[in-house]
Amino acid sequence: MYIIVIGCGRAGAEIAGRLARQEDSVVVIDRDKRAFTRLPDDFVGTTIVGPAIDDEVLQAAGIEQADAVIAVTYGDNSNLTAAQIAKQMFKVPRAIARVKDPVRAAVFAELGIETISSTDVVADAFSAVLAGRTDG
Amino acid sequence: MYIIVIGCGRAGAEIAGRLARQEDSVVVIDRDKRAFTRLPDDFVGTTIVGPAIDDEVLQAAGIEQADAVIAVTYGDNSNLTAAQIAKQMFKVPRAIARVKDPVRAAVFAELGIETISSTDVVADAFSAVLAGRTDG
């Protein structure tokens, strides 16, 4: 798989590291080059500095060949916009946006954009731990 | 169950709402009373305004009767401190802290504090969605 990760915060760095470890081809984009220090030491992949919602940056990242785009910047709107651009302009098969606001996540899910609500997954993890599972 | 939720951000509000819905007794603490507007409309429980790491506030919240404390403020250190106070000073059976930094989460897990790494659970959710499950 050829996967572009937009945003190299903690979640982006963790996801990029996991994908690279499972032999996916990974390109990480962030507007701040210091963000790439979060990538794990064993990371093998490409990093690009630039704004994520920029055609030239996305083309440099090889978006036309990408199998998936993962949008995990700090801003819900940035992530949703990036996912829409990937899906609609560049016909990327999968575009998944991290969204903190559960209401917004629900709205965009209805519009056909794949979203992950970080609020919901964290709440799910607490529910699982409280219910007695200790692997959370 | 009698559960104290410390921090009424998005995750805290979501967790408190879920617990209240399943008939747990819930007390939510936040230092900013505006945070409680995040609670769902059907929330039934107690809210207390004050700093979370304050004995008087915790006693007002009934910490001596609590079955569990969930620490989900914005700060990793605040959450870890709150969990430690609950566990060691007030002998609360379960104290679970949300931690954003996976390295810190690992260290504190080794010290016996239950932690949930929001970075890891979000990365897990992306992995699951990419692997083809669409319930994320």
Side-chain angles (χ1 to χ4, degrees):
Chain A
M1 296 256 285
Y2 187 106
I3 301 177
I4 298 174
V5 176
I6 299 176
C8 196
R10 286 196 178 112
E14 174 70 25
I15 293 163
R18 292 186 186 195
L19 293 170
R21 244 170 257 136
Q22 68 187 35
E23 314 268 303
D24 289 314
S25 295
V26 182
V27 179
V28 188
I29 302 173
D30 200 289
R31 59 171 63 242
D32 181 351
K33 72 178 188 309
R34 290 170 299 182
F36 301 125
T37 60
R38 296 193 182 97
L39 289 165
D41 293 338
D42 66 349
F43 177 74
V44 177
T46 304
T47 57
I48 297 179
V49 180
I53 310 176
D54 179 298
D55 287 7
E56 283 179 33
V57 170
L58 292 170
Q59 280 166 336
I63 195 166
E64 280 145 359
Q65 289 80 51
D67 296 301
V69 165
I70 288 174
V72 281
T73 73
Y74 292 113
D76 281 7
N77 286 332
S78 298
N79 294 337
L80 292 162
T81 304
Q84 281 184 301
I85 289 172
K87 195 105 188 161
Q88 289 170 16
M89 287 181 56
F90 293 102
K91 311 297 178 198
V92 177
R94 305 286 303 273
I96 313 165
R98 189 254 312 266
V99 178
K100 293 174 186 169
D101 179 354
V103 176
R104 209 180 268 161
V107 170
F108 278 81
E110 282 176 24
L111 294 173
I113 295 172
E114 290 185 88
T115 59
I116 284 176
S117 162
S118 50
T119 301
D120 283 335
V121 299
V122 168
D124 291 346
F126 273 95
S127 298
V129 169
L130 273 177
R133 284 169 40 201
T134 53
D135 61 341
Chain B
M1 295 256 285
Y2 187 105
I3 301 176
I4 299 174
V5 176
I6 300 176
C8 196
R10 285 195 177 113
E14 173 70 25
I15 292 163
R18 291 185 186 194
L19 293 169
R21 243 170 257 136
Q22 67 188 35
E23 316 267 302
D24 289 316
S25 295
V26 182
V27 180
V28 188
I29 302 174
D30 200 288
R31 57 171 65 240
D32 181 352
K33 72 178 189 308
R34 291 170 299 182
F36 301 125
T37 60
R38 296 193 181 96
L39 289 165
D41 292 339
D42 65 351
F43 177 74
V44 177
T46 304
T47 58
I48 297 179
V49 180
I53 310 175
D54 180 297
D55 287 7
E56 284 179 34
V57 170
L58 291 170
Q59 280 167 335
I63 194 163
E64 280 146 359
Q65 289 81 52
D67 297 299
V69 165
I70 288 174
V72 282
T73 72
Y74 292 114
D76 282 5
N77 286 332
S78 299
N79 294 336
L80 291 163
T81 305
Q84 281 183 302
I85 290 172
K87 195 106 189 160
Q88 290 170 16
M89 287 180 55
F90 293 102
K91 311 296 177 200
V92 177
R94 305 286 305 273
I96 313 166
R98 190 257 309 268
V99 178
K100 292 174 187 171
D101 180 353
V103 176
R104 209 179 267 161
V107 170
F108 279 81
E110 282 175 24
L111 294 174
I113 296 172
E114 291 186 88
T115 59
I116 285 177
S117 161
S118 49
T119 300
D120 283 335
V121 299
V122 168
D124 290 346
F126 273 96
S127 298
V129 168
L130 273 177
R133 285 171 39 203
T134 53
D135 61 339

